[in-house]
Amino acid sequence: MLSPTVRVAPSAASRATSLLRSVQFDHPPSCPCHSNPSFHLNRSPGTVANNLRRHLATPVDPSRQKEYAFEMAASSIRFGAGATREVGMDLKNMGAKRVCVVTDETVEKLDAMSRTVDALIREGIEFSVFNKVRIEPKDYSIKEAIAFAKPFNPDAFLAVGGGSVIDTAKLMNLYTVYPDADFLDFVNAPIGKGLPITRKLHPLIAVPTTAGTGSETTGTAIFDLVSKKAKTGVAHRNLKPTLGICDPLNTRTMPSAVHASSGLDVLCHSLESWTAIPYNERVPRPTNPINRPAYQGANPISDIFSLHALRSTVRYLPRAVKDPEDYEAQHQMLLASTLAGVGFGNAGVHLCHGMSYPISGQNPGYKHKGYEVDHPIIPHGVSVAVTAPAVFRFTAASNPDRHLAAAEAFGVDIANVKRESAGEVLGEAISEFLAKLGDQPLGLKNLGFRPSDIDMLVEGTIPQKRVLMLAPNLDQELEAEKNSLRRIFEQSMEY
């Protein structure tokens, strides 16, 4: 006969021991205070099976992972009136023995070039001048420049001129260091292979003579690919100049028309980088940091440069265009160009630039007033600004507050403006700015384009994935993307 069970009340000590045992064997290894290394050995069979299943989860698709970081890259910049005289010493300090000087036939006759040559001679530096740069370069003009550089075999490059000259010098440098590369190896995908630049390039000093492209700060070089009737280029942070010497004395010889068109490039660089998608919305996240694109999306550092450049351009560009003796305005526009270069060189541009490439590449015969060239030309700044009113009406819904801040930079009182009106308000402010600037084609119709040309312009825009990927509100589905671009081109015919 079994004796009756007697329940003994647990003592305080036995309760504590029981609690500790429970904590030890019930808490997983991830518990920071009570981790148990034997946790997985004390599970029931069902729990172990469930745990194993966790390791068999569907893998994440890297192509859909959003970016989580941004990085800033820009050339070293020296800014000041008279700084050009130091370029010979700079090259000597870099150890340069054999320098390829790159310019165009117009700049070669200007004071900027004579100051540069004097600086090289003073330091006893051997150099050879390539002066055949084409304004708005074509692929064949770039190849001609590369063919000049390869046999000369320089150990440094010096670009004196506007964006076309600096971009040409960048590509001369690239293909001199990669002499056996195919021309399309580094050209932006999908037109080219878009290979990363992994070798160290030669030192390149850029001395801008225009206030617009900001090319002295960026790793981007643009040209027309004639066979595709579209602009493309190479973009990689390793392509950027070693040093940009921004000397306001060198912009004093710019004609009024060049002041205007180059300044409009600054305007759109600022607006587009300020309104680009945020860097942490861009996909895909690179699997290796060497593949992180130069154009990354709006970010807190680029924002500072872009907004400041926008405000300066609105204030000083009309003055620089109107009065060739307004040296303060010229000084401020060169500074704005450089600041915008740092901003867009890291955040990127989007629709105005993406749509400008077929506009200039498919030029029906327009030659802009004030440009001394022997061929039709739509200056780059003109081609980007002509769609700007329609572009920012389209993008405003993505971030009304940013678009209203941009409108405020144009002097608009936004105190009582509704957020849903941001695009209309900014688009109207840009239209008025262009009209008051003077001698600007207010629409594609004034460049010679007809409604029947729009489909070809759309087709020329589609390959510009490098910038279209940063465009707010643009659908990723191809037909929807084409329809959006078509509407923007239609609204840009005249205004």
Side-chain angles (χ1 to χ4, degrees):
M1 182 177 179
L2 296 173
S3 61
T5 303
V6 179
R7 186 173 185 271
V8 179
S11 65
S14 63
R15 284 200 304 266
T17 301
S18 177
L19 176 61
L20 288 172
R21 185 178 294 111
S22 176
V23 167
Q24 179 182 4
F25 289 99
D26 286 351
H27 280 69
S30 59
C31 178
C33 298
H34 310 101
S35 61
N36 168 29
S38 302
F39 173 76
H40 293 299
L41 301 179
N42 291 277
R43 300 295 91 197
S44 66
T47 306
V48 172
N50 289 338
N51 181 68
L52 291 175
R53 289 191 192 101
R54 292 173 60 200
H55 296 285
L56 301 176
T58 303
V60 175
D61 180 1
S63 70
R64 302 310 306 164
Q65 285 189 294
K66 291 183 178 180
E67 180 62 278
Y68 63 86
F70 68 92
E71 56 186 274
M72 298 296 294
S75 306
S76 294
I77 297 296
R78 181 179 304 137
F79 192 102
T84 306
R85 70 169 67 96
E86 297 179 353
V87 70
M89 290 182 282
D90 288 317
L91 288 163
K92 190 172 185 178
N93 292 340
M94 293 174 185
K97 306 292 185 184
R98 190 175 174 84
V99 178
C100 181
V101 181
V102 185
T103 190
D104 63 51
E105 292 178 339
T106 299
V107 173
E108 188 179 34
K109 304 168 187 174
L110 302 180
D111 289 344
M113 189 63 178
S114 62
R115 284 191 284 266
T116 299
V117 169
D118 288 346
L120 296 177
I121 293 173
R122 276 198 306 271
E123 299 302 323
I125 294 175
E126 178 188 353
F127 65 93
S128 183
V129 177
F130 178 79
N131 67 351
K132 301 296 183 182
V133 170
R134 179 187 170 97
I135 306 305
E136 304 297 335
K138 307 286 187 183
D139 53 349
Y140 58 79
S141 70
I142 296 293
K143 291 176 181 178
E144 179 186 359
I146 294 168
F148 174 90
K150 283 183 178 179
F152 181 62
N153 195 28
D155 57 10
F157 287 83
L158 172 58
V160 185
S164 296
V165 169
I166 299 172
D167 285 4
T168 298
K170 290 175 183 177
L171 296 175
M172 294 168 76
N173 191 5
L174 174 64
Y175 289 100
T176 300
V177 172
Y178 286 89
D180 299 323
D182 182 79
F183 185 68
L184 292 179
D185 278 353
F186 301 100
V187 172
N188 300 321
I191 292 175
K193 294 180 182 178
L195 298 180
I197 299 170
T198 56
R199 297 179 189 173
K200 184 178 180 180
L201 303 188
H202 297 307
L204 164 61
I205 297 179
V207 182
T209 59
T210 62
T213 68
S215 186
E216 68 276 5
T217 71
T218 74
T220 302
I222 301 298
F223 60 87
D224 284 319
L225 191 63
V226 177
S227 62
K228 299 287 186 181
K229 292 187 176 180
K231 277 188 183 290
T232 184
V234 179
H236 194 277
R237 54 180 53 85
N238 290 347
L239 198 63
K240 69 183 185 297
T242 311
L243 171 66
I245 297 180
C246 300
D247 184 343
L249 297 180
N250 294 335
T251 66
R252 291 185 178 181
T253 52
M254 272 199 298
S256 177
V258 180
H259 270 299
S261 60
S262 59
L264 291 176
D265 199 18
V266 181
L267 187 80
C268 289
H269 284 157
S270 305
L271 282 167
E272 291 172 76
S273 54
W274 171 250
T275 57
I277 64 169
Y279 75 93
N280 54 3
E281 290 295 320
R282 194 191 76 251
V283 292
R285 178 195 306 171
T287 55
N288 186 313
I290 196 173
N291 295 320
R292 179 165 283 115
Y295 288 2
Q296 302 165 81
N299 61 75
I301 300 179
S302 285
D303 285 348
I304 296 169
F305 289 89
S306 299
L307 190 57
H308 186 98
L310 174 61
R311 290 167 175 160
S312 290
T313 302
V314 170
R315 179 177 180 182
Y316 291 107
L317 179 57
R319 285 173 49 180
V321 171
K322 182 179 179 180
D323 182 4
E325 302 298 317
D326 191 338
Y327 298 140
E328 180 194 13
Q330 293 173 21
H331 177 107
Q332 292 296 334
M333 279 307 303
L334 180 59
L335 184 57
S337 172
T338 301
L339 293 174
V342 176
F344 91 85
N346 292 281
V349 289
H350 54 80
L351 286 170
C352 292
H353 274 74
M355 299 173 77
S356 78
Y357 298 150
I359 290 172
S360 57
Q362 299 175 29
N363 184 356
Y366 177 86
K367 184 176 180 180
H368 195 63
K369 180 181 177 182
Y371 274 71
E372 297 180 6
V373 292
D374 59 0
H375 52 83
I377 184 171
I378 302 175
H380 178 61
V382 172
S383 69
V384 295
V386 72
T387 61
V391 162
F392 294 105
R393 287 187 175 99
F394 173 80
T395 60
S398 67
N399 195 325
D401 293 336
R402 282 199 171 231
H403 287 70
L404 287 174
E408 188 174 37
F410 282 91
V412 176
D413 182 358
I414 63 171
N416 298 312
V417 177
K418 296 180 179 179
R419 296 175 80 249
E420 56 265 32
S421 301
E424 191 58 40
V425 169
L426 179 55
E428 186 60 30
I430 296 170
S431 296
E432 289 182 6
F433 183 83
L434 294 173
K436 290 179 180 178
L437 195 62
D439 292 327
Q440 296 305 310
L442 302 180
L444 293 168
K445 185 177 179 180
N446 291 338
L447 294 175
F449 288 100
R450 299 166 297 178
S452 58
D453 297 319
I454 288 178
D455 283 344
M456 284 299 295
L457 291 171
V458 170
E459 291 301 323
T461 304
I462 291 297
Q464 311 302 329
K465 298 299 184 185
R466 179 178 61 94
V467 294
L468 295 185
M469 68 182 291
L470 300 173
N473 278 4
L474 193 62
D475 202 300
Q476 297 300 305
E477 194 277 320
L478 183 59
E479 287 307 314
E481 181 181 33
K482 287 183 177 181
N483 288 336
S484 294
L485 293 172
R486 190 173 291 109
R487 285 195 298 273
I488 296 172
F489 276 122
E490 288 170 350
Q491 294 166 12
S492 300
M493 286 304 295
E494 56 183 325
Y495 46 86

